Amino acid sequence: ASSGGGGGGGGSELPAWRLRCINTPNGSAQAEGGIRVAAGGVQPLWFGLDVPPGARPGTYSGTVSVSAVLAAGAPSLRDAPARRWTESVSVSVSVSAELAVQRGDNELWRHSRLRWLDSTAGEGAVGTSAAHGAAHRSRGDVWEPIRLDASSLSLAASGRRTIRLTRRGLPASLSVGAVELLAAPVQLRLHADGGGGGG
């Protein structure tokens, strides 16, 4: 599916990239090769429009184009003899002056969080701070194997995330970079009611 930019009142415009098809998130097989639909099947398509805070109120109009390609070996359709065809649909969206709180993420009925499927958070180099000891790094570093140091009973993950255990198997230290997250080693204490007693 592709989209054409939508124009609003006063010469303002929402570029086409702000309209995303939720069915084809970035990096997915569907984004690369399309969505497979069985002959005679129906496939709903969900779209989300990311309206910037500075957009002028008004009605924005544009088009959404959906292209279909018959799979190899599939017989041609009687009403669509071509192997590939495109349908375009006109779309209008009304934008009000009211600004959505937290981009609508705090209201689940808006489904605005679905845009996170296209998130590129964690990709590429990320700035670090001295306080966190370069704990945050690129996505390529996130998936490194966990390293075990049996002599110190510690596990280290990428991004300088480390957990060290006591001889009893409880966390003695949990750190990210130079930041220690535990105030003290974890202890397990059992208290029996009633004080003394027989065996």
Side-chain angles (χ1 to χ4, degrees), residues 32-198:
E32 295 293 331
I35 302 172
R36 292 183 176 272
V37 182
V42 176
Q43 174 63 58
L45 297 177
W46 290 79
F47 289 86
L49 179 61
D50 187 12
V51 180
R56 291 185 178 181
T59 299
Y60 291 77
S61 299
T63 58
V64 174
S65 298
V66 179
S67 296
V69 180
L70 286 178
S76 297
L77 303 179
R78 182 175 57 184
D79 56 346
R83 306 296 294 181
R84 179 188 182 97
W85 69 96
T86 299
E87 294 286 346
S88 297
V89 179
S90 299
V91 178
S92 295
V93 177
S94 296
V95 176
S96 68
E98 182 181 1
L99 187 64
V101 178
Q102 297 180 359
R103 302 183 68 181
D105 293 347
N106 61 329
E107 297 178 290
L108 298 183
W109 63 269
R110 293 182 182 273
H111 301 293
S112 63
R113 297 183 186 183
L114 290 175
R115 75 178 185 282
W116 296 350
L117 294 173
D118 283 328
S119 174
T120 56
E123 292 184 353
V126 179
T128 60
S129 63
H132 288 79
H136 306 288
R137 304 167 76 176
S138 65
R139 176 172 289 182
D141 179 52
V142 171
W143 306 112
E144 289 186 358
I146 292 176
R147 302 178 298 279
L148 169 65
D149 185 347
S151 62
S152 63
L153 295 179
S154 63
L155 294 171
S158 55
R160 297 184 61 189
R161 296 181 286 270
T162 305
I163 180 171
R164 182 169 53 83
L165 305 178
T166 66
R167 293 293 174 182
R168 300 181 183 275
L170 297 176
S173 172
L174 181 60
S175 62
V176 179
V179 179
E180 174 60 50
L181 303 181
L182 297 182
V186 174
Q187 297 181 356
L188 179 61
R189 298 181 179 180
L190 301 179
H191 298 273
D193 294 333

